[in-house]
Amino acid sequence: MRATDIGANEYDAFYANYIKVLDDIELMKAMEEGANQFSKLLEALPEGKMLYAYAPGKWTIAEVVLHVIDAERVFQYRLLRIARGDQTNMPGFEENDYVPASKANLRSRESLLKELKAVRASSIELVKSFDEEAFSSKGFVMNNPFTARAIAFIICGHMKHHVNVIEDRYLKYKGA
């Protein structure tokens, strides 16, 4: 299954860029390459760079990393429920409320990397457990229809989006 197989009717339009950023990649390759790319990017940063924000009021790199971890857990939960046939509408989550509560800036780069890798490994195992029927299952998030397979790709695209944000906004700005 490839990202280009996902139809626009399988997810809310808000998530379109997360699907599009993946181009025509196969799901498991996106899962594995995304985690490797993000890990290598973070491992190359000096420890002190994790507390860098490119502008006042923007998240630090540590906060971005923990946001990706938190969001992936939320997406995993949605994926599991939809793949298991749960038709209960699921609520959204307010990422801007999660970030301060996460206390990401008190964490070491190594602890964030360890958690990131563990969460992605969990996502990979979850995705591996599904057959085509499970991936085709439909459910609802914030009253919008989603397929399980779309959410699996959203997990990958969300991480890739934030890799791109870190590279473009955090590492290319003066002082970065």
Side-chain angles (χ1 to χ4, degrees):
M1 169 175 33
R2 306 183 79 75
T4 53
D5 296 333
I6 306 303
N9 64 334
E10 296 184 53
Y11 56 90
D12 181 72
F14 174 83
Y15 296 95
N17 288 333
Y18 297 149
I19 302 288
K20 289 177 187 171
V21 75
L22 296 171
D23 297 319
D24 189 38
I25 196 167
E26 188 274 327
L27 179 58
M28 289 312 301
K29 186 173 183 181
M31 284 263 167
E32 292 165 359
E33 285 184 1
N36 290 336
Q37 182 185 19
F38 202 16
S39 295
K40 286 179 183 177
L41 174 67
L42 298 174
E43 288 165 353
L45 295 176
E47 179 79 28
K49 181 61 89 180
M50 296 297 289
L51 300 179
Y52 173 73
Y54 67 89
K58 296 298 181 182
W59 296 343
T60 66
I61 293 175
E63 289 170 331
V64 172
V65 173
L66 203 47
H67 159 72
V68 170
I69 293 167
D70 286 349
E72 187 151 336
R73 285 185 164 124
V74 171
F75 295 143
Q76 277 183 355
Y77 176 67
R78 292 173 179 173
L79 174 59
L80 175 66
R81 287 184 58 183
I82 291 171
R84 296 288 193 253
D86 190 336
Q87 293 293 296
T88 307
N89 184 47
M90 289 175 266
F93 75 103
E94 180 48 60
E95 62 188 29
N96 290 311
D97 292 341
Y98 279 48
V99 171
S102 75
K103 298 184 177 31
N105 293 332
L106 301 176
R107 304 265 307 266
S108 70
R109 178 184 56 197
E110 288 72 26
S111 75
L112 291 169
L113 269 166
K114 183 177 179 181
E115 187 173 353
L116 177 77
K117 290 175 183 179
V119 169
R120 180 47 62 99
S122 175
S123 292
I124 288 170
E125 292 305 314
L126 180 63
V127 165
K128 284 181 179 178
S129 76
F130 297 144
D131 60 15
E132 191 168 326
E133 181 181 354
F135 275 122
S136 297
S137 297
K138 295 178 183 174
F140 298 89
V141 178
M142 296 174 51
N143 298 313
N144 295 297
F146 283 81
T147 61
R149 70 189 200 149
I151 291 182
F153 279 105
I154 289 167
I155 288 171
C156 300
H158 181 257
M159 180 178 281
K160 184 169 179 67
H161 163 77
H162 283 290
V163 166
N164 292 344
V165 167
I166 290 171
E167 289 176 344
D168 294 342
R169 297 184 189 165
Y170 288 78
L171 302 182
K172 290 186 180 176
Y173 276 68
K174 184 178 179 180

